[in-house]
Amino acid sequence: EDQVTQSPEALRLQEGESSSLNCSYTVSGLRGLFWYRQDPGKGPEFLFTLYSAGEEKEKERLKATLTKKESFLHITAPKPEDSATYLCAVRTNYGGSQGNLIFGKGTKLSVKP
Amino acid sequence: DTGVSQDPRHKITKRGQNVTFRCDPISEHNRLYWYRQTLGQGPEFLTYFQNEAQLEKSRLLSDRFSAERPKGSFSTLEIQRTEQGDSAMYLCASIGGEGLRPGQGAFFGQGTRLTVV
């Protein structure tokens, strides 16, 4: 069964303290791995799509990387406004429909000033 | 604002009542998805439309749930005879057609928070 596991469940950082979030996946065939940011009471906000091992994407203080078994979201010198839940999702080979994403439970990030 | 709008943002209903939610996707997007999210969980896929055709339904979508997308524009999700277990955030997402790179990323609306009392 396709599965996405995110760790840690929660992460508390001091402002400026860099760290990484992990997303490990077990799928029959990966057609894309996605990172989203979700603020409380709001819908997920799209961040990155990664397609193949070795691929990297960057946006401001965030950098996403992908291997054959997992993805990392690296946060460099985080600020309090980076506090949110970060969701990882995968799209697999079968199912056919674009966007039928399987989500992990997310990592809740808190950045203290 | 992602361009995907959902209405209402919040709904409180009594158990046994019917509720209907609306989603307006990004206008040029032909693919529309419904997801459900409960507290502390990631979104779970419910159903998918390409234009007006409902192409896929999750086993989570019981007989009490029905979704439509008339004319391939907005979509509605109706829950009949609501139960307390239906309390969740219902999210709508849209993605563009073949011209966009596959997997570009579904754009989500702000969701409808349903509370069944």
Side-chain angles (χ1 to χ4, degrees), chain A residues 31-73:
Chain A
R31 295 186 72 185
L33 185 140
F34 306 82
W35 282 98
Y36 286 85
R37 169 192 171 129
Q38 187 172 30
D39 292 304
K42 297 191 175 182
E45 174 189 346
F46 173 71
L47 293 174
F48 305 110
T49 306
L50 301 167
Y51 292 102
S52 56
E55 189 174 357
E56 299 181 352
K57 294 276 179 71
E58 280 189 75
K59 179 181 178 180
E60 296 180 353
R61 294 177 293 281
L62 301 176
K63 178 180 177 180
T65 61
L66 181 65
T67 72
K68 289 187 178 180
K69 294 183 178 180
E70 58 191 349
S71 176
F72 291 94
L73 185 66

Side-chain angles (χ1 to χ4, degrees), chain A residues 34 36 38 44 87 89-91 97-104, chain B residues 6 21 23 32-38 42-48 56 58 60-61 65 67 77 79 86 88-95 105-109 111-112:
Chain A
F34 306 82
Y36 286 85
Q38 187 172 30
L87 295 166
V90 297
R91 177 174 161 245
S97 56
Q98 290 187 2
N100 183 3
L101 306 176
I102 303 169
F103 281 86
Chain B
Q6 292 188 243
F21 311 140
C23 171
L32 185 149
Y33 302 83
W34 285 98
Y35 282 80
R36 182 176 71 184
Q37 187 177 26
T38 54
E44 296 174 293
F45 170 74
L46 292 179
T47 189
Y48 154 63
E56 193 170 347
S58 162
L60 294 175
L61 212 67
F65 287 70
L77 178 68
I79 308 174
D86 297 330
M89 173 82 88
Y90 289 84
L91 294 163
C92 174
S94 74
I95 190 168
F107 293 93
F108 283 84
T112 294

